[in-house]
Amino acid sequence: MGTQQMGLVGLAVMGQNLALNMASRGFSVAVYNRTTARTASFMRDRAQGENILGASSVSDFVQALETPRRIILMVKAGEPVDDMIRELKPHLAPGDVIADGGNAHFKDTQTRMRALESEGILYLGTGISGGEEGALQGPCIMPGGPMEAYRKLEPVFTTIAARVEDGPCCAYMGPGGAGHFVKMVHNGIEYGNMQLIAEAYDILGRVAGLDAPRMAEVFAEWNRGNLNAFLIEITARVLAARDASGDIPLVDVILDKAGQKGTGKWTTQSALDLGVPVPTITAAVDARILSSLKDERVRAAKIHKDGRRAFDGDTPGFIQAVGRALHAGILCSYAQGMAMLRQASARYGWELDPAEISRIWKGGCIIRARLLEPMREAFSREPDLPNLLLCPAFAAWMTDGAEALRGVVSQAMAHGIPVPSLGASLAYFDGYRSERLPQNLIQAQRDLFGAHTYERVDREGAFHTVWP
């Protein structure tokens, strides 16, 4: 029997940092990477002097672990996960645990879980957020799957996770693919928040005329108030950074094409399956896709000239309005994500705890923010709260921010500046607070061309009209 308490497969930066995190917290670790040169380099460099053992083969890796074996996969989502499971499986025994720490689709996780369960091997879909720094210092960990599997890894996960005033940023999410689903929604909210911040940056630059250093000051100031959040903090850092020459802001020379790894797209697809509107998040995904059409956008810019007008308003007041509008948009992003979690929990029988999810998101993860504590409080008081916009505290913030959001979106549109997520947030808020929407007309149209029937406001039943 081996001696190492934990095994980790995949030594990209996230995997390396997670291994070092475990070792620094007193756990002995065995590591393996398909490219043996990477394992050797890690052992010579960053792992030197740590209680980490490098293995050059899957067989040696598994034999180095004490039983029952506990293995964390930190490999690229998709086929690489299945390939690695196939390599590991012949060497494993009933009761061993594999925890997939990558961004896997929750349905893929459930498929793998069922396949391994038949052989007595436990599988845990484990969302991990925090980036490279979080993996090293303490991430937010969202495990889901068999409770038996979680119990075997709980002492490790709760030790290496980030900590906030009310405990470690790790909690059992639920059975099946619950852990990876929660991580997916986390990333969807992250997409929404990042796009909202990017739009605020664009408006401050193109309407208010602020340069990057001045915007860095604005975001740093916002981070000291209601907008306090990791993403706001790093935006100030990014805007303050200079190019290597020292002459210009680095952000000004970065190409305006945003990449994505798929979790935002999965969020919008899953939301459609669940029948939950997430327009702020969907607009953010669309914005990244549109940004990839750089050559087409350059061509279109030459055909469709910019007709924006000069801003002649109160610049300090406008900056404040942009901050309030951004806060309102971010509230909508969180509200949409949490509504999606509520619906998924009911659909899949996961019994997700929104208060506990809010709590663990307060530390380690990318979307950690000051508003997560009042969010936790809201769900603690009313676990079945359908939407955060119905909570008195969030409703008051939204009422205050909606006026600013309306004005800022109007200014952006008047200047020809695209604000897909800010605009979607405003439409979401206006739609959600509308007692009556125009879908009565759509129901009438559907009945006319397809005899789909409609309901009435004055009596029960399904009705059809022979339209003139």
Side-chain angles (χ1 to χ4, degrees):
M1 186 177 75
T3 59
Q4 304 302 97
Q5 296 168 295
M6 291 295 302
L8 185 138
V9 177
L11 290 174
V13 177
M14 279 286 289
Q16 290 186 24
N17 284 358
L18 204 61
L20 291 169
N21 182 347
M22 289 189 286
S24 72
R25 302 302 203 280
F27 298 102
S28 56
V29 185
V31 297
Y32 170 75
N33 195 84
R34 276 188 166 180
T35 306
T36 55
R38 177 170 286 181
T39 305
S41 173
F42 177 59
M43 295 305 300
R44 281 194 312 268
D45 184 13
R46 303 185 70 199
Q48 192 173 42
E50 302 289 348
N51 192 357
I52 298 177
L53 185 152
S56 57
S57 70
V58 172
S59 176
D60 290 345
F61 168 72
V62 175
Q63 289 177 17
L65 300 174
E66 65 180 26
T67 56
R69 301 172 184 91
R70 297 176 291 182
I71 299 169
I72 301 175
L73 299 185
M74 295 299 293
V75 300
K76 187 177 179 181
E79 287 187 17
V81 175
D82 293 316
D83 292 343
M84 198 65 244
I85 291 172
R86 276 192 292 270
E87 289 189 50
L88 286 167
K89 194 165 62 171
H91 305 281
L92 300 180
D96 291 347
V97 184
I98 298 174
D100 180 5
N103 282 330
H105 193 284
F106 76 101
K107 290 185 177 179
D108 292 339
T109 296
Q110 292 178 157
T111 299
R112 292 166 184 144
M113 199 173 291
R114 286 191 294 268
L116 289 169
E117 183 182 27
S118 64
E119 302 190 33
I121 299 169
L122 301 168
Y123 194 76
L124 203 61
T126 308
I128 299 177
S129 177
E132 297 172 11
E133 182 180 348
L136 182 63
Q137 304 296 335
C140 174
I141 306 178
M142 297 156 264
M147 176 59 80
E148 181 187 355
Y150 175 65
R151 290 302 182 206
K152 292 183 179 184
L153 280 165
E154 183 180 15
V156 180
F157 284 166
T158 55
T159 300
I160 68 172
R163 296 193 72 86
V164 289
E165 69 283 354
D166 47 12
C169 295
C170 171
Y172 177 68
M173 296 291 99
H180 274 145
F181 190 93
V182 172
K183 176 56 166 44
M184 178 191 74
V185 173
H186 165 286
N187 285 21
I189 295 170
E190 177 186 312
Y191 269 63
N193 292 0
M194 290 177 73
Q195 178 63 27
L196 290 163
I197 291 169
E199 290 171 20
Y201 151 79
D202 201 18
I203 292 167
L204 291 176
R206 293 211 273 168
V207 177
L210 274 58
D211 60 11
R214 176 69 184 100
M215 281 191 272
E217 296 173 359
V218 169
F219 276 92
E221 177 62 31
W222 285 348
N223 194 49
R224 291 188 281 271
N226 283 342
L227 277 166
N228 173 262
F230 174 71
L231 286 171
I232 298 292
E233 173 196 332
I234 67 168
T235 300
R237 288 165 52 190
V238 165
L239 292 168
R242 308 292 291 185
D243 182 44
S245 66
D247 296 331
I248 53 176
L250 178 58
V251 71
D252 291 348
V253 296
I254 295 177
L255 185 66
D256 56 326
K257 289 171 65 173
Q260 55 180 316
K261 292 187 176 180
T263 45
K265 178 183 70 175
W266 294 345
T267 305
T268 63
Q269 290 171 333
S270 296
L272 288 171
D273 291 339
L274 291 166
V276 178
V278 292
T280 303
I281 296 168
T282 300
V285 176
D286 287 340
R288 291 201 191 189
I289 296 171
L290 186 61
S291 79
S292 71
L293 307 177
K294 178 64 174 180
D295 292 342
E296 292 180 43
R297 291 190 289 113
V298 170
R299 182 178 174 184
K302 295 174 182 175
I303 299 171
H304 305 284
K305 299 298 182 183
D306 190 348
R308 60 179 171 165
R309 65 191 187 195
F311 177 68
D312 56 2
D314 169 23
T315 299
F318 183 69
I319 293 171
Q320 289 183 357
V322 173
R324 289 167 57 212
L326 176 58
H327 188 245
I330 288 173
L331 291 178
C332 288
S333 182
Y334 279 101
Q336 292 164 27
M338 297 309 289
M340 187 174 169
L341 289 179
R342 177 178 177 273
Q343 185 62 31
S345 184
R347 173 77 65 87
Y348 302 121
W350 287 336
E351 297 185 3
L352 298 176
D353 184 344
E356 185 68 347
I357 292 169
S358 303
R359 186 194 70 77
I360 68 170
W361 282 353
K362 292 194 298 180
C365 75
I366 302 300
I367 63 170
R368 60 187 185 267
R370 177 174 295 177
L371 65 79
L372 282 161
E373 175 55 24
M375 196 160 96
R376 184 200 64 78
E377 293 172 357
F379 285 118
S380 294
R381 286 192 300 269
E382 190 178 347
D384 294 327
L385 181 68
N387 193 295
L388 281 169
L389 299 185
L390 299 176
C391 166
F394 282 79
W397 283 330
M398 197 64 210
T399 300
D400 175 68
E403 180 184 357
L405 181 58
R406 203 176 305 284
V408 168
V409 168
S410 297
Q411 279 281 6
M413 290 183 172
H415 285 77
I417 298 172
V419 284
S421 283
L422 284 170
S425 298
L426 179 60
Y428 175 75
F429 171 69
D430 283 339
Y432 193 73
R433 71 181 183 87
S434 293
E435 186 175 346
R436 187 168 173 82
L437 291 168
Q439 272 62 37
N440 55 319
L441 176 60
I442 291 174
Q443 287 298 82
Q445 292 170 330
R446 294 179 72 244
D447 188 60
L448 187 151
F449 68 66
H452 293 294
T453 73
Y454 55 85
E455 295 176 273
R456 297 178 61 100
V457 298
D458 55 353
R459 56 183 187 268
E460 296 290 327
F463 298 87
H464 168 62
T465 292
V466 179
W467 297 87

